[in-house]
Amino acid sequence: MTTNPSVSDSTAALTHLDAQGQAHMVDVAAKAQTVRQAIAEATVVMQPQTLATIEAGNAPKGDVLGTARIAGIMAAKQTAHLIPLCHPLPLQKVEVQIVPVPSLPGYQIQATVKTKAETGVEMEALTAVSVAALTLYDMAKGLEKSIEIRSIRLLSKIGGKSGSYSVDS
């Protein structure tokens, strides 16, 4: 096998590249299973009338928030199929909350994902809020095409070798 001359000698420090610079899934078999949790959020901004119509339950496609919530849960469970090199994980908890925020106007979507495994669930939480936001858009696009999905981010994570992380700390 030939090596890629554009890959530097520092490749060994990159966890998802092998010695030849080729992408590979990290071997986590030797790592201990620990409780891991991640919380992510997304913001969806829309016109006040769109928010009012969704809140009243009058969207033409039906239950916008319920459908988006289920889509987020399903997405978390499918993350390893969507994100290259992501490990399939046994998820013990996936919770998606969608809260109206009249001051936006729009919604704050938050996903909490928990497992007991060798690797973390940050990607599962981020995937959950992303797909929930996309589904909310899809369910409401008949009301407004200019809905914006903003600020998808990790809020916190616990567990694993790297320890805890929170945007507040």
Side-chain angles (χ1 to χ4, degrees), residues 57 121 139 147:
V121 287
M139 293 292 291
I147 295 170

Side-chain angles (χ1 to χ4, degrees), residues 11-74:
T11 307
L14 301 176
T15 61
H16 286 71
L17 297 179
D18 65 16
Q20 289 76 40
Q22 302 297 310
H24 72 106
M25 182 182 268
V26 174
D27 183 357
V28 296
K31 293 173 76 177
Q33 286 190 350
T34 61
V35 174
R36 321 285 187 124
Q37 179 176 292
I39 301 172
E41 74 173 0
T43 303
V44 181
V45 180
M46 60 196 59
Q47 296 297 316
Q49 182 57 42
T50 305
L51 176 62
T53 301
I54 294 169
E55 284 299 295
N58 294 327
K61 286 191 172 186
D63 184 2
V64 173
L65 303 180
T67 303
R69 188 176 305 104
I70 294 295
I73 293 167
M74 291 173 63

Side-chain angles (χ1 to χ4, degrees), residues 129-140:
V129 296
S130 298
V131 172
L134 289 168
T135 302
L136 195 155
Y137 179 92
D138 181 52
M139 293 292 291

Side-chain angles (χ1 to χ4, degrees), residues 80-102:
H81 295 282
L82 301 169
I83 307 294
L85 311 179
C86 198
H87 292 85
L89 296 173
L91 303 181
Q92 275 75 41
K93 175 184 181 178
V94 179
E95 179 182 354
V96 176
Q97 297 177 332
I98 306 173
V99 178
V101 182

